[in-house]
mmCIF file of all heavy atoms in Angstrom:
data_model
loop_
_atom_site.group_PDB
_atom_site.id
_atom_site.type_symbol
_atom_site.label_atom_id
_atom_site.label_comp_id
_atom_site.label_asym_id
_atom_site.label_seq_id
_atom_site.Cartn_x
_atom_site.Cartn_y
_atom_site.Cartn_z
ATOM 1 N N PHE A 146 27.441 30.729 6.957
ATOM 2 C CA PHE A 146 26.699 30.913 5.705
ATOM 3 C C PHE A 146 27.130 29.900 4.657
ATOM 4 O O PHE A 146 26.637 29.917 3.540
ATOM 5 C CB PHE A 146 26.854 32.346 5.184
ATOM 6 C CG PHE A 146 28.297 32.777 5.028
ATOM 7 C CD1 PHE A 146 28.930 32.698 3.807
ATOM 8 C CD2 PHE A 146 29.013 33.251 6.126
ATOM 9 C CE1 PHE A 146 30.264 33.088 3.660
ATOM 10 C CE2 PHE A 146 30.342 33.647 5.992
ATOM 11 C CZ PHE A 146 30.961 33.556 4.759
ATOM 12 N N ASN A 147 28.077 29.020 4.983
ATOM 13 C CA ASN A 147 28.415 27.929 4.063
ATOM 14 C C ASN A 147 28.895 26.721 4.866
ATOM 15 O O ASN A 147 29.107 26.796 6.077
ATOM 16 C CB ASN A 147 29.439 28.377 3.009
ATOM 17 C CG ASN A 147 30.794 28.693 3.611
ATOM 18 O OD1 ASN A 147 31.295 27.957 4.455
ATOM 19 N ND2 ASN A 147 31.384 29.801 3.197
ATOM 20 N N LYS A 148 29.036 25.586 4.161
ATOM 21 C CA LYS A 148 29.364 24.342 4.848
ATOM 22 C C LYS A 148 30.775 24.351 5.424
ATOM 23 O O LYS A 148 31.019 23.871 6.531
ATOM 24 C CB LYS A 148 29.231 23.156 3.871
ATOM 25 C CG LYS A 148 27.800 22.746 3.618
ATOM 26 C CD LYS A 148 27.682 21.786 2.447
ATOM 27 C CE LYS A 148 28.080 20.380 2.807
ATOM 28 N NZ LYS A 148 27.899 19.470 1.634
ATOM 29 N N VAL A 149 31.713 24.890 4.641
ATOM 30 C CA VAL A 149 33.115 24.833 5.066
ATOM 31 C C VAL A 149 33.327 25.621 6.366
ATOM 32 O O VAL A 149 33.988 25.149 7.298
ATOM 33 C CB VAL A 149 34.030 25.356 3.935
ATOM 34 C CG1 VAL A 149 35.452 25.527 4.426
ATOM 35 C CG2 VAL A 149 34.007 24.385 2.754
ATOM 36 N N PHE A 150 32.727 26.813 6.441
ATOM 37 C CA PHE A 150 32.903 27.623 7.661
ATOM 38 C C PHE A 150 32.076 27.076 8.828
ATOM 39 O O PHE A 150 32.461 27.226 9.990
ATOM 40 C CB PHE A 150 32.554 29.092 7.397
ATOM 41 C CG PHE A 150 33.635 29.840 6.653
ATOM 42 C CD1 PHE A 150 33.471 31.179 6.308
ATOM 43 C CD2 PHE A 150 34.829 29.221 6.297
ATOM 44 C CE1 PHE A 150 34.460 31.878 5.624
ATOM 45 C CE2 PHE A 150 35.821 29.902 5.611
ATOM 46 C CZ PHE A 150 35.630 31.239 5.271
ATOM 47 N N ALA A 151 30.936 26.464 8.538
ATOM 48 C CA ALA A 151 30.158 25.856 9.623
ATOM 49 C C ALA A 151 30.985 24.757 10.283
ATOM 50 O O ALA A 151 31.067 24.648 11.507
ATOM 51 C CB ALA A 151 28.840 25.299 9.094
ATOM 52 N N LYS A 152 31.657 23.963 9.447
ATOM 53 C CA LYS A 152 32.517 22.893 9.953
ATOM 54 C C LYS A 152 33.672 23.483 10.776
ATOM 55 O O LYS A 152 34.010 23.007 11.852
ATOM 56 C CB LYS A 152 33.040 22.085 8.753
ATOM 57 C CG LYS A 152 34.266 21.265 8.995
ATOM 58 C CD LYS A 152 33.955 19.839 9.366
ATOM 59 C CE LYS A 152 35.240 19.045 9.548
ATOM 60 N NZ LYS A 152 35.171 18.077 10.613
ATOM 61 N N LEU A 153 34.268 24.525 10.248
ATOM 62 C CA LEU A 153 35.360 25.186 10.961
ATOM 63 C C LEU A 153 34.879 25.688 12.327
ATOM 64 O O LEU A 153 35.563 25.566 13.338
ATOM 65 C CB LEU A 153 35.836 26.365 10.098
ATOM 66 C CG LEU A 153 37.185 26.984 10.366
ATOM 67 C CD1 LEU A 153 38.278 25.948 10.205
ATOM 68 C CD2 LEU A 153 37.414 28.132 9.389
ATOM 69 N N GLY A 154 33.668 26.256 12.350
ATOM 70 C CA GLY A 154 33.103 26.786 13.596
ATOM 71 C C GLY A 154 32.938 25.708 14.651
ATOM 72 O O GLY A 154 33.227 25.928 15.829
ATOM 73 N N SER A 155 32.519 24.509 14.232
ATOM 74 C CA SER A 155 32.289 23.465 15.230
ATOM 75 C C SER A 155 33.605 22.977 15.830
ATOM 76 O O SER A 155 33.621 22.359 16.888
ATOM 77 C CB SER A 155 31.513 22.295 14.615
ATOM 78 O OG SER A 155 32.324 21.585 13.715
ATOM 79 N N ASP A 156 34.708 23.244 15.155
ATOM 80 C CA ASP A 156 36.028 22.858 15.679
ATOM 81 C C ASP A 156 36.598 23.901 16.632
ATOM 82 O O ASP A 156 37.554 23.632 17.347
ATOM 83 C CB ASP A 156 37.035 22.709 14.524
ATOM 84 C CG ASP A 156 36.909 21.366 13.829
ATOM 85 O OD1 ASP A 156 36.406 20.424 14.469
ATOM 86 O OD2 ASP A 156 37.306 21.275 12.647
ATOM 87 N N MET A 157 36.052 25.116 16.602
ATOM 88 C CA MET A 157 36.735 26.212 17.295
ATOM 89 C C MET A 157 36.557 26.192 18.808
ATOM 90 O O MET A 157 37.468 26.549 19.539
ATOM 91 C CB MET A 157 36.325 27.561 16.696
ATOM 92 C CG MET A 157 37.034 27.789 15.346
ATOM 93 S SD MET A 157 36.445 29.213 14.444
ATOM 94 C CE MET A 157 37.183 30.550 15.353
#
Side-chain angles (χ1 to χ4, degrees):
F146 54 97
N147 67 44
K148 283 168 78 178
V149 170
F150 283 179
K152 160 94 178 143
L153 198 60
S155 71
D156 279 337
M157 284 171 75

